[in-house]
Amino acid sequence: MNSSQHRTSITDKQRLHFALWFTMLFLIAIWGVFLIDLTFELGLNQYGNRPREIRGLKGIFTYPFLHGGWSHLWNNTASFFVLNGLLFYFYRSLAIRVWAIMFISSGILLWIIGDIGGVARNHIGASGLVYGLASFLFFSGIMRKNLLLLRVTLLVAFLYGGMIWMMFP
């Protein structure tokens, strides 16, 4: 192995470590909140995102950490693990910025339009963040016209292409 290949493999290992570290840190927080709420019966889901209600504003920041049950938590965990891992591996230089923008903007957008149809709801779960990550990874690969990132776009389309239909009632 020449020094160029050795440097590349170290870089790849560092990128993978960075992607896994940040992804697992957030997932530990999500699971921790769920298990604490379940164990101590705190009723934390009341702090979800309640669109167009003043008391729902705090939900902009809390809703991704709250889940309605084991299957809800697991589905968000699996999707988040894959999509966030791809973001932090392939977009290392801007991953934290993109993630923060997705976190805040998904909560704000949900607060503004989350009651379309006139039904007031309390939204919980990391699905908004998952949809944001999938959208970024899909469209960024297309717009950048980079062959490697287009592969990521195709992977996201293959794995999560049906996700768009889940947004509609």
Side-chain angles (χ1 to χ4, degrees):
M1 178 185 293
N2 65 36
S3 64
S4 167
Q5 289 173 323
H6 182 67
R7 270 185 268 137
T8 302
S9 66
I10 291 172
T11 303
D12 288 343
K13 287 179 186 177
Q14 289 172 338
R15 290 170 67 152
L16 182 60
H17 178 75
F18 179 67
L20 290 175
W21 180 84
F22 191 87
T23 300
M24 292 307 297
L25 186 66
F26 190 72
L27 288 175
I28 288 168
I30 287 174
W31 277 80
V33 168
F34 179 79
L35 293 172
I36 289 169
D37 187 35
L38 187 67
T39 302
F40 298 106
E41 300 178 5
L42 300 173
L44 295 179
N45 286 352
Q46 68 180 318
Y47 299 108
N49 190 323
R50 296 178 183 271
R52 298 185 191 165
E53 293 182 21
I54 297 299
R55 69 181 175 147
L57 283 171
K58 66 180 142 269
I60 291 171
F61 303 101
T62 60
Y63 89 99
F65 295 99
L66 308 171
H67 289 81
W70 290 102
S71 64
H72 186 210
L73 178 63
W74 174 248
N75 290 335
N76 278 186
T77 297
S79 298
F80 181 82
F81 181 82
V82 171
L83 295 169
N84 202 68
L86 290 171
L87 172 70
F88 276 79
Y89 186 84
F90 289 104
Y91 293 90
R92 182 178 181 171
S93 63
L94 55 119
I96 291 176
R97 244 180 321 169
V98 167
W99 190 90
I101 289 168
M102 291 299 160
F103 185 88
I104 299 298
S105 64
S106 67
I108 291 171
L109 187 61
L110 180 59
W111 190 82
I112 293 170
I113 67 168
D115 68 348
I116 290 180
V119 178
R121 293 193 175 139
N122 179 32
H123 296 275
I124 56 173
S127 299
L129 189 53
V130 167
Y131 283 113
L133 292 170
S135 298
F136 174 81
L137 291 168
F138 181 81
F139 289 111
S140 180
I142 292 170
M143 292 187 321
R144 293 172 190 267
K145 297 179 183 170
N146 174 301
L147 189 57
L148 180 62
L149 299 178
L150 282 170
R151 291 177 184 158
V152 173
T153 293
L154 289 174
L155 179 64
V156 169
F158 176 73
L159 292 175
Y160 300 104
M163 203 159 91
I164 190 72
W165 300 113
M166 297 173 86
M167 290 175 47
F168 301 107

